[in-house]
Amino acid sequence: MATGQRVVVACALPALGVGLLRERFVVETGGWRPDLSWLRQHVPGAAAIVADPSVRVDAELVDRAGGSLKVVANFAVGYDNLDLDTIRERGIRAANTPDVLTGATAELAIALMLAAARRIAEADALVRDGGWPAEKSLLGRELAGATVGLVGFGRIARRVAELLRGFEVRLLFASRSEPRERHDAERRELGDLLASSDFVSVHVPLTAETRHLIDATRLAQMRRGAILVNTSRGAVVDTEALMHALRSGHLGAAGLDVYEDEPHVPPELRRLSNTVLLPHLGSATSATRDAMARLCVENVIAVLAGREPPSPLV
């Protein structure tokens, strides 16, 4: 039976999750990426806010919610959109959805490697436009036997390493911490990894330290013709520097699922033919999104029932 507690859903939470919430609470949904005015109007008096990376839950929004707010549940594994210091100071809980999206995001990273290497988006556009280009005009490169560098070696990167075994690649990784499992990957300093890799895949959270981690200097360290893939956060890569490296031919291609100012993708980036551009689809499979929704809702239910959430941040 629903209680009088109110939950504000400020993201495109799947129907499974919304249904589970409505069994217990009064639920207000703002649809996909509700505007700030809707949020400001609806959060006062809410017991919980369900957000995703497009929704900034900062001090202003937390204060507007008031003393009723008990939990902020992020419908994502990343949480750079949450002001955790403020949330912690106000005695509010925060939670995310780790683990359940690992496989889907890792698969997409490999899909981007293959699509960028084999120029799939470029070839698809030509055929759809009625063309049939000569094969030699669309020569790509193979992932099999290549050297792949993983920047960061958390859950998703380690799953990428597992999935790449069948391609018989040489695996390198750069990480601040020592992983429990290496999956036959060699640890390198970031500069050495970039200089040694045919493919570089980025798997770090967005923090003050990792913002523009891959900047003009780092891009210049990469092998000429190398391929960069980013499924982590857009601001980890300096977009202007990336576009310059792609235009100049220093980078062979880029496969991107994330951008600095989502959902806005720079027109110049969209015009570059040596890119594969996806609209943040890392976890976008039906099974994964439902699993994320269930975990997100379980976090809300637990906190509002006075229990520890399954995947707490604060």
Side-chain angles (χ1 to χ4, degrees):
M1 180 179 295
T3 69
Q5 292 175 299
R6 195 158 53 84
V7 176
V8 172
V9 178
C11 63
L13 188 69
L16 180 147
V18 175
L20 290 172
L21 287 172
R22 283 184 169 148
E23 291 175 3
R24 297 165 175 82
F25 312 110
V26 176
V27 179
E28 296 177 1
T29 61
W32 186 71
R33 290 200 168 121
D35 59 39
L36 186 56
S37 62
W38 185 92
L39 275 173
R40 287 172 171 167
Q41 179 183 350
H42 287 82
V43 296
I49 297 173
V50 176
D52 70 11
S54 71
V55 178
R56 178 67 181 158
V57 182
D58 56 13
E60 191 273 338
L61 194 67
V62 169
D63 288 343
R64 189 174 288 269
S68 62
L69 186 62
K70 300 294 187 295
V71 59
V72 178
N74 225 33
F75 181 59
V77 63
Y79 49 88
D80 47 279
N81 58 307
L82 306 183
D83 183 345
L84 291 184
D85 289 338
T86 293
I87 290 170
R88 185 181 294 106
E89 288 169 3
R90 303 293 194 277
I92 300 164
R93 302 304 303 269
N96 64 342
T97 60
D99 296 323
V100 292
L101 50 71
T102 297
T105 306
E107 288 183 10
L108 192 73
I110 293 173
L112 283 170
M113 292 180 201
L114 291 166
R118 295 303 301 272
R119 303 172 67 176
I120 288 176
E122 185 180 355
D124 178 85
L126 289 170
V127 173
R128 289 178 186 278
D129 199 37
W132 193 266
E135 290 180 5
K136 65 180 181 181
S137 69
L138 286 170
L139 293 178
R141 65 186 308 169
E142 297 178 22
L143 176 57
T147 298
V148 178
L150 303 175
V151 181
F153 208 56
R155 297 180 184 92
I156 294 171
R158 293 196 300 272
R159 181 58 180 158
V160 169
E162 290 177 342
L163 294 174
L164 284 173
R165 285 175 179 169
F167 289 91
E168 298 180 337
V169 300
R170 179 190 181 199
L171 278 171
L172 311 178
F173 75 93
S175 175
R176 290 189 303 177
S177 58
E178 179 64 32
R180 288 176 293 178
E181 300 178 26
R182 290 198 176 208
H183 302 286
D184 297 321
E186 307 168 33
R187 188 173 190 174
R188 297 291 185 86
E189 294 299 319
L190 180 56
D192 187 16
L193 178 147
L194 296 173
S196 304
S197 300
D198 302 303
F199 294 79
V200 173
S201 189
V202 181
H203 299 281
V204 295
L206 178 60
T207 65
E209 291 74 27
T210 63
R211 183 174 294 275
H212 286 189
L213 174 68
I214 308 299
D215 57 11
T217 300
R218 292 302 191 184
L219 289 167
Q221 293 175 325
M222 291 179 66
R223 283 182 174 176
R224 185 169 185 84
I227 292 170
L228 178 70
V229 167
N230 188 10
T231 56
S232 60
R233 284 290 184 265
V236 174
V237 178
D238 182 334
T239 305
E240 289 294 330
L242 174 62
M243 291 190 295
H244 176 76
L246 289 166
R247 282 195 312 268
S248 70
H250 180 71
L251 280 191
L256 306 176
D257 188 42
V258 289
Y259 310 89
E260 289 202 63
D261 185 25
E262 295 180 16
H264 307 291
V265 180
E268 183 178 351
L269 185 60
R270 299 201 308 265
R271 287 192 292 267
L272 290 170
S273 61
N274 55 344
T275 57
V276 181
L277 308 176
L278 302 181
H280 206 147
L281 298 178
S283 62
T285 71
S286 297
T288 294
R289 288 293 172 90
D290 281 351
M292 290 171 62
R294 188 177 296 278
L295 179 54
C296 185
V297 169
E298 287 173 354
N299 283 320
V300 172
I301 292 171
V303 173
L304 296 189
R307 303 192 306 270
E308 184 71 8
S311 52
L313 293 168
V314 171

